Amino acid sequence: MDTAPFGDEDTWRFPPTSGEVSGGWLHGRGSSDSKAGAAIFAHIVARLRQSADQWRGTVVLLFDVDEHTGSFGGAKAYFEGSASRIDGVMIGYPGLDHVVTGGRGVLRVRASVHGVAGHSGARTTSPSAIAKAAELVSLLHAAPVPGSAGPDFPLSAKLTVTAISGGEGYSTVPDLCTFNVDVRLTPAFDDQAALNLLRSVVADLDAQWADTRPTHLEVTTRWPAFALPKEAPLRSALLAAAGAFGVNAAPKVAGPSNIGNYLAGLGIPATAGFGVDYRGLHATDEQIRLDSIPPVQATYHQALLTLLNTA
């Protein structure tokens, strides 16, 4: 299923598709993200079917093979096409120490910065789109963003320019330079606040480059930050079940965005991580600790029984 690339296979201790077991660890690409989670959930659902007539709710097992592209096509097809009420989602990302109950949101914007084309050797210098873009990138990196939103959301907002493209050859002054801006959102700095900041910085710079066309900002992704409240049934059931099976997992707000943010935009609560102990996620020698599987499986099983019996 959907996994990260292997990288340089010669640097792996065991081949990335070997499934080699050594010292209690199972090696292989995707073992932690998220084949172990998929296998655990499949076993749980097979077991739960035996008592389905006693439930007060319904469980759906969903695998999305479009997750690593960031498009989440499988999940979107299901959630946006479902006529049923969805009370919550549990996502099997790995990590035994935390139940991820929230995450920073994301606003992604593509900026198109304009200059005036010309010859680099001309007597008169044309306004370069690259020079203007470089100045804009510097201003954005220096722009202030809010800090922590409080103890329930301890992470700060963050703004990063992640890709840039423009110009060709040596003798042409470029009239277009584009770059990508990734903004991590918090309850104190939502998508509209982030967009307002970008527009303000851009407007100030455009005013200083009066001989060029205005910069265009295209929003490509906007997912809200989310954090389940302490009394949320998903959070309570999963943390209580983990404790019952000897796993001291703490609730956590994650820095990277994930599909939980997409679900939050649909008003669907989600936990976005509790799973097996791992090493090397997306890296060389990815592996999972085999003896962490039983407590994770038992935790999810018990949490689902609790939710189904109180739905």
Side-chain angles (χ1 to χ4, degrees), residues 2 4 28 38 44-46 67 81 93 105 110-111 147 171 220 222 284-285:
D2 201 33
I44 291 171
V45 170
E67 188 263 351
Y93 292 137
R110 181 175 294 110
S171 61
T220 62
R222 56 199 314 167
T284 301
D285 289 333

Side-chain angles (χ1 to χ4, degrees), residues 34-86:
S34 286
K35 289 176 170 54
I40 286 169
F41 285 177
H43 280 274
I44 291 171
V45 170
R47 183 76 173 272
L48 285 175
R49 284 197 64 188
Q50 300 173 18
S51 58
D53 59 340
Q54 304 171 27
W55 299 349
R56 297 181 184 179
T58 300
V59 171
V60 172
L61 181 62
L62 175 65
F63 296 134
D64 185 353
V65 294
D66 194 28
E67 188 263 351
H68 268 269
T69 66
S71 297
F72 302 102
K76 288 180 178 179
Y78 177 78
F79 291 113
E80 295 173 14
S82 177
S84 303
R85 188 185 77 194
I86 300 170

Side-chain angles (χ1 to χ4, degrees), residues 128-164:
S128 167
I130 289 179
K132 182 179 177 182
E135 190 172 342
L136 181 54
V137 169
S138 296
L139 290 171
L140 289 175
H141 272 292
V145 295
S148 166
D152 293 332
F153 206 103
L155 300 179
S156 301
K158 187 177 182 183
L159 187 155
T160 310
V161 174
T162 56
I164 190 165

Side-chain angles (χ1 to χ4, degrees), residues 95-103 150-155 226-243 247-255 270-274:
L96 200 60
D97 297 333
H98 298 98
V99 173
V100 177
T101 57
D152 293 332
F153 206 103
L155 300 179
F226 79 102
L228 297 183
K230 293 180 179 179
E231 66 275 11
L234 280 180
R235 171 180 166 141
S236 301
L238 203 50
L239 287 170
V247 180
N248 186 24
K252 175 184 177 181
V253 174
T271 57
F274 172 73

Side-chain angles (χ1 to χ4, degrees), residues 136-283:
L136 181 54
V137 169
S138 296
L139 290 171
L140 289 175
H141 272 292
V145 295
S148 166
D152 293 332
F153 206 103
L155 300 179
S156 301
K158 187 177 182 183
L159 187 155
T160 310
V161 174
T162 56
I164 190 165
S165 175
E168 63 179 319
Y170 286 95
S171 61
T172 303
V173 176
D175 60 357
L176 177 65
C177 182
T178 62
F179 62 85
N180 296 344
V181 184
D182 180 279
V183 187
R184 299 299 161 138
L185 308 173
T186 71
F189 192 63
D190 62 12
D191 59 338
Q192 191 57 54
L195 196 54
N196 289 343
L197 173 65
L198 294 177
R199 287 170 173 165
S200 174
V201 173
V202 163
D204 288 345
L205 183 68
D206 281 342
Q208 299 174 35
W209 289 69
D211 294 335
T212 63
R213 291 168 53 197
T215 301
H216 176 68
L217 299 178
E218 176 192 1
V219 176
T220 62
T221 304
R222 56 199 314 167
W223 287 353
F226 79 102
L228 297 183
K230 293 180 179 179
E231 66 275 11
L234 280 180
R235 171 180 166 141
S236 301
L238 203 50
L239 287 170
F245 292 105
V247 180
N248 186 24
K252 175 184 177 181
V253 174
S257 303
N258 55 64
I259 195 171
N261 299 91
Y262 162 72
L263 295 170
L266 300 179
I268 301 173
T271 57
F274 172 73
V276 295
D277 194 12
Y278 68 94
R279 296 172 182 161
L281 188 148
H282 288 193

